[in-house]
């Protein structure tokens, strides 16, 4: 059985859905799946990894790995991969994944396919699909000639089944070697929102310049609260200082792939579409019937958002919180 390492990213003590997708994918393709969990706060995530497909977990139970330091993460992941003797590696295409795995690939003299949206295994080689030119076309990438095959997958691209029972016995502790650091993490400043990050969210309500002013984002927050959604934004409103850059969806913001994306007062410029066309269902609310967003929308509502959004929120409330 070929071995596969999956980077088990966790947040607030829980394994991220993006890592669960990868663990279950590995199991379904008959790999011997080794989860690598970093940080002394990873105990619950390690257990969740065993319940979601990992045959074994290497847990670096070290407080130095609780915040992201690229040099420490790089070292721990390299140790984890070499210790498990795996040649296949999967990780979420998250901010951390996209930062650390290209470094790791360079260190392992290997190829990496990042930001992938589909994955299969052919003759022991990963074959991944990745968008290019802001999603205008896709490349099919095979890594078969690389010593290690490293693929970074966007979240919400692979199915997830219910977890089984955890097997704490499969968790082995691993030690972080000494690293002489060039970078020191002094402080992590967390965003104000406790909501799921946009890249992990299953439902996103996103607002654009059609909202007219920052205060009107409250309407979207109300809808998001009812739906259990995360609020996103176009770059126009981020540049206007209405909301923080961490909420921006698009080419120079985040790439998202929720089940439901509700675009409110967003025209649908190519740079915005680049970040959200992987959404399964897109609902657009815009008073201009010719807005380009309608070409990508599954459902379109032509109307004044100040009318439509409160009414929809009321209807969602009735449906979901009877
Ligand atoms: C290099 C580069 C990178 C970029 N990266 C990004 C990126 O990452 N993300 C991104 O979003 N943009 C990005 N942009 C900017 C992008 O080109 C657009 O300018 C931006 O997406 C427009 O934002 P918007 O749709 O909110 O605003 P607008 O284009 O002004 O659209 C507002 C929409 O609201 C509608 N509207 C107005 N009033 C109402 C109402 N009362 N009810 C209903 N609808 C209403 C209008 O009909 C219009 O369609 C980038 C641009 C460049 C050049």
């Amino acid at each position: 059985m070929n071995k596969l390492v999956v980077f088990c990213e966790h947040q607030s003590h829980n394994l991220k859905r993006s890592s669960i997708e990868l663990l279950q994918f590995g199991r379904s393709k008959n790999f011997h799946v080794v989860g690598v969990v970093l940080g002394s706060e990873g105990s619950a995530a390690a257990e969740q990894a065993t319940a979601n497909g990992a045959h074994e977990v290497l847990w670096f139970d070290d407080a130095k790995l609780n915040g992201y330091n690229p040099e420490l993460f790089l070292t721990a992941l390299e140790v984890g991969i070499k210790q498990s003797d795996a040649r296949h590696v999967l990780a979420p295409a998250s901010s951390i994944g996209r930062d650390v795995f290209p470094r790791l690939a360079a260190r392992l003299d290997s190829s990496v396919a990042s930001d992938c949206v589909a994955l299969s295994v052919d003759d022991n080689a990963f074959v991944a699909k990745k968008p290019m030119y802001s999603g205008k076309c896709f490349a099919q990438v095979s890594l078969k000639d690389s010593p290690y095959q490293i693929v970074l997958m966007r979240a919400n691209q692979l199915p997830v089944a219910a977890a089984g029972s955890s097997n704490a016995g499969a968790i082995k502790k691993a030690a972080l070697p000494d690293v002489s650091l060039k970078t020191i993490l002094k402080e992590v400043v967390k965003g104000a929102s406790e909501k799921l990050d946009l890249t992990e969210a299953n439902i996103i309500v996103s607002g654009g310049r059609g909202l007219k002013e920052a205060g009107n984002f409250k309407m979207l927050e109300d809808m998001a609260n009812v739906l259990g959604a995360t609020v996103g934004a176009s770059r126009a409103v981020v540049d206007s200082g209405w909301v923080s850059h961490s909420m921006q969806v698009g080419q120079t913001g985040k790439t998202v792939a929720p089940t439901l994306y509700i675009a409110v007062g967003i025209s649908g410029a190519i740079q915005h579409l680049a970040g959200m066309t992987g959404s399964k269902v897109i609902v657009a609310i815009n008073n201009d019937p010719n807005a380009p967003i309608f070409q990508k929308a599954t459902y379109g509502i032509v109307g004044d958002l100040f009318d439509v959004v409160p009414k929809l929120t009321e209807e969602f409330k009735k449906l979901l919180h009877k």
Side-chain angles (χ1 to χ4, degrees):
M1 214 184 228
N2 287 314
K3 290 198 166 173
L4 163 72
V5 159
V6 172
F7 173 40
C8 294
E9 235 184 312
H10 54 94
Q11 192 175 27
S12 312
H13 303 281
N14 282 314
L15 192 57
K16 285 187 164 188
R17 182 195 147 104
S18 46
S19 290
I20 295 175
E21 289 178 33
L22 302 177
L23 290 165
Q24 294 195 0
F25 172 85
R27 190 76 182 221
S28 74
K29 298 293 176 196
N30 293 322
F31 282 99
H32 179 92
V33 182
V34 183
V36 173
V37 176
L38 306 185
S40 60
E41 292 170 352
S43 146
E47 285 196 26
Q48 289 160 7
T50 66
N52 280 286
H55 292 85
E56 54 182 305
V57 169
L58 290 177
W59 176 27
F60 289 79
D61 177 11
D62 191 319
K64 290 201 284 298
L65 292 164
N66 285 344
Y68 176 57
N69 177 308
E71 293 168 69
L72 293 177
F73 270 47
L74 181 59
T75 304
L77 286 164
E78 187 183 11
V79 169
I81 289 167
K82 291 195 168 154
Q83 205 163 308
S84 61
D85 200 23
R87 289 288 178 274
H88 294 79
V89 180
L90 288 177
S94 58
S95 306
I96 290 178
R98 281 192 279 195
D99 190 52
V100 77
F101 280 89
R103 297 167 192 245
L104 186 65
R107 201 175 265 194
L108 298 174
D109 199 19
S110 293
S111 307
V112 58
S114 63
D115 207 23
C116 298
V117 295
L119 183 62
S120 58
V121 184
D122 180 24
D123 195 17
N124 203 22
F126 280 145
V127 180
K129 182 178 163 189
K130 58 176 282 163
M132 300 183 72
Y133 305 115
S134 303
K136 287 199 191 79
C137 62
F138 292 89
Q140 188 107 308
V141 187
S142 170
L143 302 176
K144 66 178 169 209
D145 294 328
S146 174
Y148 292 86
Q149 301 188 30
I150 305 173
V151 174
L152 309 184
M153 284 292 294
R154 281 189 195 171
N156 293 329
Q157 304 300 318
L158 299 167
V160 163
S165 51
S166 72
N167 173 12
I171 300 170
K172 296 174 192 156
K173 290 213 183 174
L176 179 69
D178 280 340
V179 185
S180 85
L181 290 175
K182 298 192 188 94
T183 316
I184 290 170
L185 178 71
K186 286 195 162 171
E187 190 190 358
V188 176
V189 182
K190 290 202 171 149
S193 171
E194 287 299 309
K195 289 263 169 66
L196 212 53
D197 186 76
L198 280 171
T199 55
E200 294 271 316
N202 199 31
I203 305 178
I204 294 174
V205 181
S206 221
R209 193 149 40 195
L211 280 157
K212 314 285 187 229
E213 58 180 77
N216 292 331
F217 260 79
K218 169 84 175 53
M219 263 194 318
L220 302 195
E221 279 154 23
D222 291 346
M223 182 186 271
N225 284 338
V226 174
L227 292 173
T230 301
V231 178
S234 72
R235 176 165 164 176
V237 304
V238 172
D239 286 352
S240 304
W242 296 1
V243 295
S244 82
H245 180 260
S246 65
M247 291 167 68
Q248 184 181 318
V249 173
Q251 188 183 322
T252 45
K254 291 186 174 160
T255 303
V256 301
T259 306
L260 174 61
Y261 187 89
I262 305 180
V264 182
I266 292 177
S267 58
I270 183 78
Q271 297 89 353
H272 187 81
L273 299 178
M276 46 64 80
T277 42
S279 310
K280 294 204 174 51
V281 174
I282 298 171
V283 176
I285 303 168
N286 200 303
N287 61 3
D288 174 5
N290 297 315
I293 190 80
F294 286 128
Q295 286 166 25
K296 297 287 172 190
T298 326
Y299 301 100
I301 302 175
V302 180
D304 185 342
L305 68 90
F306 296 97
D307 234 16
V308 176
V309 172
K311 282 185 186 150
L312 268 182
T313 304
E314 278 314 303
E315 289 304 314
F316 289 146
K317 250 187 221 163
K318 282 186 216 158
L319 270 172
L320 299 169
H321 304 285
K322 280 182 203 158

